[in-house]
Amino acid sequence: MSNFVLMTDSCCDLSAQMQTELDLHILPMLLQIGKETYRNWPDGREIGFHEFYERIRSGETASTSAISMGDFEQAMSHYLEQGMDVLYLCFSSGLSSTFQNSNIAVEDLKEQFPDRTVLVVDTLCASMGQGLLTYLCAREKAAGKSLEEVRDFAEANKLKVSHWFTVDDLNHLKRGGRISATTALVGTMLAIKPVMHVDNDGHLIPVSKARGRKASLTALVDHMEKTAIDPAHQTIFISHGDCLEDAQWVANEITRRFGITDIHINYIGPVIGSHAGPGTVALFFLGKER
């Protein structure tokens, strides 16, 4: 059985502690605020998560960049040169060109390292949905599964990873082209909060609207109740845009309804946070369908 590294990117929004526990290599994605460029590391070493959201609240805008082919080749070569193989679980191709860049890099690496194997999975996931799939794959790897077996597990389960989001400020979705200026204006006036999910093509799709913050948070758990597979025995992930109290409210509601205590909460990192904005709350679990 080959020795291989499990690699993903920082859009997984896993904590630095979990990165260490799962023995992951997490590639940082890039974001730009003003004239400054930062790498989105899980430990926030270049820009802290709360600092990032405070800057967004103050009116600064951020843009993001996909991981370059050069960055992929550098990171993967480090392991290939040591005789290890690589399995990369990539941020959704429906939201970024990162998957495309990784495949171009892998083709070049195959010529340089013909005796090694590099496999890429388009997770069609985002934030801690990608993180949840990575977490489950890391457990398979720790159980002794081969690179190909872990790849097959990821492919078989990625469309079971349910993503449910709500945002607090519609203007961030307006800037990203997700909703119209009129919809953002009317929705803000009426305190309407969208409830969204990531579909089977890896795109962020509005599904419904809730009147008020608490109703939108409740809707996330309602969707889980309808579609989750054996929820009492799941590990649940929740991510948030610098609104820990709201994320904790969702966690408490999940515990109240299903008795679940294995719940992990972490920040939505600056890359996804650049598009979703402060106040976003997202819930991730395995469901019968997304």
Side-chain angles (χ1 to χ4, degrees):
M1 183 181 298
S2 67
N3 185 20
F4 70 98
V5 63
L6 191 59
M7 185 177 292
T8 189
D9 53 69
S10 58
C11 281
C12 70
D13 288 338
L14 293 174
S15 67
Q17 178 181 347
M18 188 166 282
Q19 175 185 6
T20 300
E21 291 173 354
L22 299 178
D23 192 24
L24 302 173
H25 184 114
I26 298 182
L27 289 162
M29 297 188 76
L30 294 175
L31 68 145
Q32 299 81 37
I33 303 179
K35 296 181 179 180
E36 301 165 297
T37 299
Y38 303 95
R39 290 184 182 272
N40 175 198
W41 297 98
D43 60 6
R45 70 186 71 165
E46 293 190 15
I47 182 167
F49 301 115
H50 177 67
E51 174 195 350
F52 164 77
Y53 283 106
E54 284 293 277
R55 291 178 66 172
I56 296 299
R57 289 186 181 105
S58 72
E60 293 190 72
T61 58
S63 60
T64 60
S65 304
I67 298 172
S68 70
M69 291 172 284
D71 284 346
F72 276 120
E73 291 194 22
Q74 181 179 15
M76 293 177 175
S77 293
H78 172 76
Y79 296 101
L80 300 174
E81 289 168 353
Q82 299 177 50
M84 300 175 68
D85 296 328
V86 177
L87 174 58
Y88 171 52
L89 305 177
C90 184
F91 181 42
S92 173
S93 63
L95 297 170
S96 170
S97 60
T98 296
F99 176 66
Q100 179 182 359
N101 290 353
S102 70
N103 278 318
I104 296 172
V106 167
E107 289 304 311
D108 289 341
L109 290 169
K110 286 179 179 177
E111 295 182 6
Q112 298 176 48
F113 301 93
D115 296 329
R116 301 263 51 90
T117 301
V118 183
L119 300 178
V120 179
V121 173
D122 178 5
T123 67
L124 300 172
C125 295
S127 189
M128 289 186 80
Q130 180 182 342
L132 177 56
L133 184 64
T134 301
Y135 168 84
L136 295 172
C137 287
R139 286 176 38 175
E140 293 293 303
K141 179 177 182 287
K145 300 296 178 64
S146 69
L147 180 149
E148 290 79 10
E149 288 173 323
V150 177
R151 185 272 315 274
D152 292 346
F153 174 88
E155 293 287 2
N157 287 280
K158 66 186 186 183
L159 294 184
K160 297 176 184 176
V161 180
S162 298
H163 303 55
W164 288 98
F165 292 76
T166 189
V167 302
D168 196 40
D169 184 349
L170 293 170
N171 289 306
H172 293 283
L173 293 179
K174 179 192 72 174
R175 282 194 290 270
R178 299 291 177 185
I179 60 175
S180 69
T182 301
T183 298
L185 177 62
V186 174
T188 299
M189 291 174 61
L190 298 177
I192 291 173
K193 309 297 182 182
V195 177
M196 302 166 288
H197 83 131
V198 173
D199 67 11
N200 286 350
D201 295 319
H203 298 118
L204 185 60
I205 304 295
V207 175
S208 62
K209 300 173 183 176
R211 190 73 176 268
R213 179 66 162 176
K214 188 60 66 69
S216 68
L217 297 176
T218 301
L220 304 182
V221 187
D222 289 344
H223 281 292
M224 179 178 171
E225 189 165 26
K226 292 174 184 176
T227 64
I229 301 169
D230 189 19
H233 297 96
Q234 283 205 39
T235 297
I236 306 300
F237 282 12
I238 300 171
S239 59
H240 66 92
D242 203 34
C243 52
L244 178 59
E245 288 187 5
D246 288 340
Q248 191 60 61
W249 186 91
V250 172
N252 292 341
E253 182 67 6
I254 288 170
T255 298
R256 184 185 71 81
R257 290 199 203 183
F258 311 113
I260 299 172
T261 57
D262 190 8
I263 301 174
H264 299 268
I265 300 174
N266 197 38
Y267 269 99
I268 294 171
V271 169
I272 292 180
S274 296
H275 304 280
T280 302
V281 176
L283 170 62
F284 310 94
F285 57 91
L286 293 180
K288 296 185 286 290
E289 58 185 15
R290 281 198 168 182

